Amino acid sequence: MSDLDLNSLLGTEDDEGRSRRRSRASGKRGGNRRRRRRRNRGGFIAPLLAFVVLAGIIGGGGYYGYLWLGDALVPDDYTGQGTGEVVVEIKDGQTASEVAEELVRLGVVASAKAFSNAVDNAGKSGSLQPGQYKMRKKMSAAGAVAMLIPGNKLLKKVPIKEGLRLSDTYATLAKEMGKPAKDFAAAAKKADLDLPSYAKGKLEGYAFPATYDFPPNVTPEQVLGAMVKRFNQTAEEVDLEGGAKELGRKPQDIVVIASIVQAEAGRFEDMPKIARVIYNRLDRDPEMKLEMDSTVMYALNKYRTAATIAETKTKSRYNTYMYLGLPPGPISNPGQHAIEAALNPAKGDWLYFVATDPKNSNVTKFATTEAERQALLAEYQRNGG
């Protein structure tokens, strides 16, 4: 058998041939895979680069969008405590937003939003009180909020003494507030001052004496209204109407008695005793005239502690030397001590009292009989009365 036949039988030639063909084919397929891998790598990089570029565009847009959004969410605001001076008025009923707009208009804060945020952060959205405040321009919103407190209000302290007549109260208000006294008198006649019904529309006796804090632009009507409001508060505190009923008197009687007590007393501790003298005379059977010099002085618009015999002849209904009972209205504006004395008179049988020392109005002595009274009058005369 020839070598060819043997190789045919053993498959040597074919295997080698196929082996060589497989090698050539394998070589071709390997080259194809390498080319495909190169092509695949090129196909992957392009989308990746596109994604990176797109992400950059989106990221850049997001960054600038963030900056824009930050500017929108963080409103304009000044820093520091500002400069100069400006008066800001918060009107009754104004909201924090309305106040913010006014502050922007006046140049106090940079934006209404910054102020509103500062108000919310301070928890004061419902506590901005009406009034005038001295502030500065170009303040931080937080600094502006910190200045809008009651202690920073522009207020004028006006002390009204106890026992002033209404005409003297007007004069005091005019002096303290720089407004004509006639403006207060006119306001008393036309304004609705919320007087108690028993005042019968008359302000005398109900302009309560106290120290008031008024804003610079307050009107005469507002001033008098505040004084009547203070009277009404005091009357409620001391239960004036209930106390009058217990004493068998009208509420107006209590105010009239208190006004006399206020005018006659030299010191607080004597007030309940003077009130007792008034009640003892009114309740006496037969009733005694009050014979109070203070009521005569009021009728004559004079200021002395003792009336002359001629002055006690005046026909005015306020002349308690001539007429029985109480005068038709209060003769002064009594304070709380006098009102409480009228509601709670001391216990005693006194029918008289005399300020025995003209040089010291704090000295008042009391008497039950006419003889005791004459002795006190003699002491008064020895002291120069």
Side-chain angles (χ1 to χ4, degrees):
M1 184 175 292
S2 66
D3 294 337
L4 177 61
D5 293 336
L6 182 61
N7 290 336
S8 297
L9 289 172
L10 295 174
T12 303
E13 182 181 356
D14 289 343
D15 288 342
E16 290 178 356
R18 280 194 298 271
S19 180
R20 286 193 295 272
R21 284 194 297 270
R22 280 196 301 268
S23 298
R24 287 195 298 270
S26 176
K28 291 179 180 179
R29 283 194 299 270
N32 289 339
R33 281 197 296 270
R34 285 193 294 273
R35 284 193 293 273
R36 279 198 300 270
R37 282 198 293 270
R38 284 196 295 270
R39 283 198 300 269
N40 287 343
R41 283 198 296 271
F44 173 75
I45 291 172
L48 178 62
L49 289 174
F51 174 77
V52 170
V53 171
L54 181 61
I57 293 171
I58 294 173
Y63 173 73
Y64 287 108
Y66 170 79
L67 293 179
W68 177 86
L69 187 60
D71 288 340
L73 294 177
V74 180
D76 291 338
D77 196 3
Y78 296 125
T79 58
Q81 295 303 308
T83 59
E85 188 176 290
V86 60
V87 174
V88 175
E89 181 178 7
I90 297 179
K91 296 182 176 63
D92 192 22
Q94 272 191 317
T95 64
S97 298
E98 291 170 334
V99 173
E101 292 173 2
E102 179 68 7
L103 292 177
V104 172
R105 187 185 71 80
L106 294 172
V108 176
V109 297
S111 66
K113 183 64 176 175
F115 179 79
S116 297
N117 288 347
V119 168
D120 291 340
N121 292 338
K124 293 184 177 181
S125 57
S127 60
L128 296 179
Q129 295 188 10
Q132 290 185 320
Y133 300 82
K134 186 183 293 185
M135 305 185 74
R136 292 182 287 273
K137 291 190 174 184
K138 296 187 176 180
M139 300 182 66
S140 70
V145 172
M147 292 191 74
L148 293 175
I149 57 175
N152 199 37
K153 282 186 181 181
L154 284 175
L155 298 172
K156 172 70 174 176
K157 281 195 176 300
V158 181
I160 303 297
K161 293 192 299 184
E162 296 174 331
L164 289 181
R165 298 173 189 173
L166 192 57
S167 58
D168 297 323
T169 300
Y170 294 155
T172 300
L173 291 171
K175 179 181 177 182
E176 294 289 338
M177 307 197 68
K179 301 178 186 291
K182 64 180 182 180
D183 289 358
F184 294 98
K189 293 178 181 179
K190 67 178 182 180
D192 181 8
L193 301 178
D194 196 27
L195 285 161
S197 59
Y198 49 84
K200 299 181 180 179
K202 300 295 179 64
L203 184 57
E204 186 78 88
Y206 303 93
F208 195 80
T211 297
Y212 293 90
D213 292 323
F214 293 123
N217 63 342
V218 69
T219 66
E221 291 83 358
Q222 291 170 329
V223 169
L224 299 181
M227 299 178 79
V228 173
K229 181 179 180 180
R230 185 69 176 272
F231 171 86
N232 290 334
Q233 290 172 342
T234 302
E236 185 175 352
E237 288 175 12
V238 301
D239 190 18
L240 190 150
E241 295 190 41
K245 187 175 182 180
E246 289 182 8
L247 291 168
R249 297 286 172 180
K250 298 176 181 178
Q252 187 202 25
D253 293 344
I254 300 300
V255 180
V256 173
I257 292 171
S259 73
I260 298 173
V261 168
Q262 186 74 70
E264 294 281 353
R267 54 184 186 170
F268 294 143
E269 49 264 47
D270 289 332
M271 287 182 171
K273 290 184 177 181
I274 293 174
R276 173 49 64 193
V277 170
I278 294 172
Y279 283 113
N280 285 346
R281 290 191 177 194
L282 292 173
D283 296 338
R284 193 173 176 82
D285 189 16
E287 182 180 349
M288 288 180 65
K289 293 176 183 175
L290 292 183
E291 296 184 347
M292 297 290 168
D293 293 336
S294 57
T295 65
V296 177
M297 292 296 102
Y298 181 82
L300 299 173
N301 195 27
K302 294 182 178 180
Y303 297 86
R304 290 203 316 275
T305 57
T308 66
I309 293 176
E311 288 169 337
T312 61
K313 305 301 182 183
T314 179
K315 299 297 179 60
S316 170
R317 287 292 305 174
Y318 284 88
N319 182 2
T320 54
Y321 279 88
M322 182 173 288
Y323 302 100
L324 286 169
L326 293 169
I331 64 168
S332 72
N333 291 282
Q336 184 164 342
H337 288 96
I339 294 173
E340 290 177 337
L343 289 169
N344 302 282
K347 293 181 179 180
D349 298 327
W350 312 290
L351 291 172
Y352 311 97
F353 62 89
V354 178
T356 57
D357 188 351
K359 298 176 183 178
N360 186 356
S361 60
N362 287 337
V363 178
T364 301
K365 296 184 178 181
F366 295 83
T368 301
T369 66
E370 178 61 25
E372 291 173 346
R373 173 176 175 266
Q374 289 300 324
L376 294 179
L377 288 174
E379 182 179 346
Y380 167 72
Q381 289 172 347
R382 287 195 302 270
N383 289 330

